[in-house]
Amino acid sequence: INKMAVVYITRRATFCSAHRLYSPHLTQEENEITYGKCCLPNGHGHNYTVEVTLKGKIDPHTGMVMNLHHLKQVMEDAIMTPLDHKNIDKDVEYFTGHVSTVENIAVFIWHQMLQALDDKKYLLYEVKLHETENNICTYRGE
């Protein structure tokens, strides 16, 4: 058995947020063509599911890459607190300069998690964000 086995662990969480897809760099007509009904002035909401995957070696003393309860707490602070039951465009400073697409939200979550996981033995491998059942974005920090 490989004593230095590298494994991937994933924790999932759900959050509810509202947003409006609208770019100040586009005209109103261009926004409507680009984003359709998602650019309506009052916005809309989603029940997002986020999956955070870490890559690391199994600690020989604990048998874990990271205690999943600890990962849950990190995700609570890095993802849930800033995003759950919020209007992303109005309540999250990052989105004053970024359109709140599923892609940009996934990148935001990645950076939040990187900052929160300051212990270098945990390697953030992937953030997968499900905006809907059919619309999913995966980001690996590239």
Side-chain angles (χ1 to χ4, degrees), residues 83-102:
L83 294 174
D84 192 29
H85 287 84
K86 302 286 174 53
N87 182 318
I88 293 173
D89 304 312
K90 296 178 181 180
D91 297 329
V92 183
E93 185 178 341
Y94 178 84
F95 291 99
T96 59
H98 299 86
V99 180
S100 56
T101 59
V102 67

Side-chain angles (χ1 to χ4, degrees), residues 17-81:
S17 294
H19 72 141
R20 176 187 184 209
L21 296 181
Y22 182 87
S23 173
H25 304 292
L26 303 175
T27 66
Q28 180 62 35
E29 182 180 357
E30 290 170 325
N31 272 290
E32 289 172 5
I33 291 167
T34 303
Y35 303 119
K37 65 182 180 179
C38 294
C39 82
L40 292 173
N42 292 328
H44 61 283
H46 294 284
N47 295 318
Y48 292 92
T49 298
V50 62
E51 299 175 24
V52 173
T53 302
L54 304 181
K55 173 185 176 182
K57 294 179 181 173
I58 299 171
D59 183 292
H61 303 290
T62 66
M64 298 183 281
V65 171
M66 179 182 194
N67 183 307
L68 288 171
H69 179 72
H70 180 61
L71 180 55
K72 176 184 177 182
Q73 288 305 124
V74 170
M75 290 173 68
E76 180 70 31
D77 295 341
I79 301 169
M80 303 304 285
T81 298

